[in-house]
């Protein structure tokens, strides 16, 4: 169904053009616009499906490197500044320990955060704020994308990370979603050795958190200090 809908729309537009709409410039423009939008959607869908099957076949070419988490957050803010301002969303960074490093594949991590930030902006209501923050607690690194958007009813949360699952089909179709984003987030986060959590209150907002184990934390002085603090300084001489 998800693949058939855009294909049917493209075929219908092309057939209408063939059977005469081409000679009406206004109508022709509309149909060409439709072909362009629907083929873009089809392209995104196919890319997402390919990504999912690569993850499932464990054919991801993961190349772990030490990533400066606060630098990564700033990078994500740059990437999404324009789409946030277009939707009137206030996008900012929250607390993040300086020098916190995470050993992970950068492309995968960016893809995870992109999907979460994209959702927070896409489903924003008026005056929504989106905040990216990070912490190191009990040896675990957490990166959170918190929004003050519409929130998600509790009954949807258990199925939210399933492929093609959307809370509001009508609304999701309007904003062009296919329901693969969070499924990719879950699979990629787990492929990196972490896991993803969601907390949401309707009318208040949602927070998606990806959490990675201590082994992946970098050895900056601050990170080490924070870790030994949490361990009660037990391994100090
Ligand atoms: P895609 O990401 O594939 O373009 P999508 O955004 O519809 O499509 P997911 O990212 O998997 O799919 O999200 C699933 C559903 O969860 C969305 O359709 C939306 O209803 C809901 N959702 C996700 N993030 C948020 C959020 N931050 N606030 C409110 N609802 C959300
Ligand atoms: Mg999405």
């Amino acid at each position: 169904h998800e693949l058939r809908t855009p294909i049917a729309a493209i075929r219908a537009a092309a057939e209408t053009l063939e059977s005469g709409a081409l000679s009406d410039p206004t109508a022709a423009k509309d149909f060409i616009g439709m072909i362009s939008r629907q083929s873009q959607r089809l392209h995104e869908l196919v890319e997402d499906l390919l990504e999912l099957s690569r993850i499932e076949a464990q054919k991801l070419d993961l190349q772990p490197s030490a990533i400066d988490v606060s630098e990564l957050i700033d990078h994500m803010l740059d990437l999404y500044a324009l789409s946030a301002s277009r939707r009137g969303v206030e996008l900012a960074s929250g607390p993040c320990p300086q020098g916190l490093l995470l050993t992970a594949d950068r492309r995968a991590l960016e893809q995870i955060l992109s999907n979460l930030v994209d959702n927070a902006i896409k489903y924003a209501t008026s005056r929504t704020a989106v905040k990216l923050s990070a912490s190191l607690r009990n040896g675990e690194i957490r990166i959170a994308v918190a929004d003050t958007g519409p929130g998600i009813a509790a009954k949807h949360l258990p199925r939210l990370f399933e492929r093609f699952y959307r809370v509001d089909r009508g609304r999701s179709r309007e904003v062009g979603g296919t329901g693969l984003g969070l499924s990719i987030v879950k699979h990629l986060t787990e492929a990196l050795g972490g896991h993803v959590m969601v907390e949401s209150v309707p009318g208040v907002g949602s927070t998606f958190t990806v959490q990675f184990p201590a082994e992946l934390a970098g050895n900056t002085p601050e990170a080490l200090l924070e870790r030994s603090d949490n361990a009660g300084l037990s391994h100090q001489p």
Side-chain angles (χ1 to χ4, degrees):
H1 172 79
E2 309 294 337
L3 287 164
R4 281 191 190 121
T5 307
I7 292 173
I10 292 167
R11 289 180 60 180
E15 277 162 21
T16 315
L17 283 167
E18 267 173 354
S19 58
L22 256 186
S23 47
D24 175 350
T26 325
K29 218 173 154 218
D30 285 350
F31 286 116
I32 288 167
M34 188 196 278
I35 291 175
S36 163
R37 276 194 308 279
Q38 295 293 339
S39 53
Q40 176 62 25
R41 181 153 172 223
L42 202 53
H43 167 77
E44 285 163 13
L45 191 54
V46 168
E47 286 304 311
D48 283 354
L49 283 169
L50 285 174
E51 180 72 13
L52 266 178
S53 61
R54 268 195 299 269
I55 304 170
E56 282 179 352
Q58 305 192 330
K59 287 214 172 102
L60 279 181
D61 180 22
L62 295 177
Q63 297 182 343
S65 66
I67 297 164
D68 182 323
V69 177
S70 88
E71 189 270 319
L72 175 70
I73 288 179
D74 288 342
H75 176 64
M76 299 311 301
L77 295 182
D78 283 348
L79 282 182
Y80 283 91
L82 188 62
S83 52
S85 79
R86 277 199 187 128
R87 302 245 324 127
V89 169
E90 188 196 311
L91 179 63
S93 60
C96 175
Q98 276 308 304
L100 178 63
L101 298 181
L102 173 60
T103 307
D105 180 85
R106 170 128 194 162
R107 194 189 81 92
L109 201 54
E110 281 190 14
Q111 204 179 349
I112 291 164
L113 294 179
S114 289
N115 274 302
L116 296 177
V117 175
D118 177 67
N119 281 345
I121 294 173
K122 198 158 71 170
Y123 300 108
T125 40
S126 62
R127 305 175 63 120
T128 292
V130 178
K131 206 167 251 181
L132 270 76
S133 61
S135 65
L136 178 69
R137 203 160 299 147
N138 300 324
E140 302 207 296
I141 298 183
R142 290 178 173 204
I143 306 176
V145 178
D147 69 62
T148 59
I152 302 159
K155 66 173 181 194
H156 295 294
L157 297 181
R159 300 194 56 196
L160 205 61
F161 295 93
E162 288 175 17
R163 67 183 60 187
F164 295 124
Y165 190 81
R166 286 169 302 175
V167 171
D168 174 347
R169 295 199 155 246
R171 167 112 184 86
S172 294
R173 189 151 300 137
E174 219 173 90
V175 292
T178 54
L180 289 175
L182 287 178
S183 154
I184 290 176
V185 166
K186 181 173 159 62
H187 280 84
L188 275 181
T189 308
E190 288 172 4
L192 297 184
H195 66 270
V196 58
M197 297 162 290
V198 58
E199 284 172 311
S200 190
V201 180
V204 177
S206 312
T207 300
F208 287 84
T209 307
V210 285
Q211 180 172 321
F212 299 95
E215 306 89 88
L216 302 177
N219 290 326
T220 61
E222 294 84 353
L224 277 177
L225 187 67
E226 221 170 310
R227 256 191 280 171
S228 54
D229 276 354
N230 285 317
L233 298 175
S234 54
H235 53 269
Q236 293 286 307

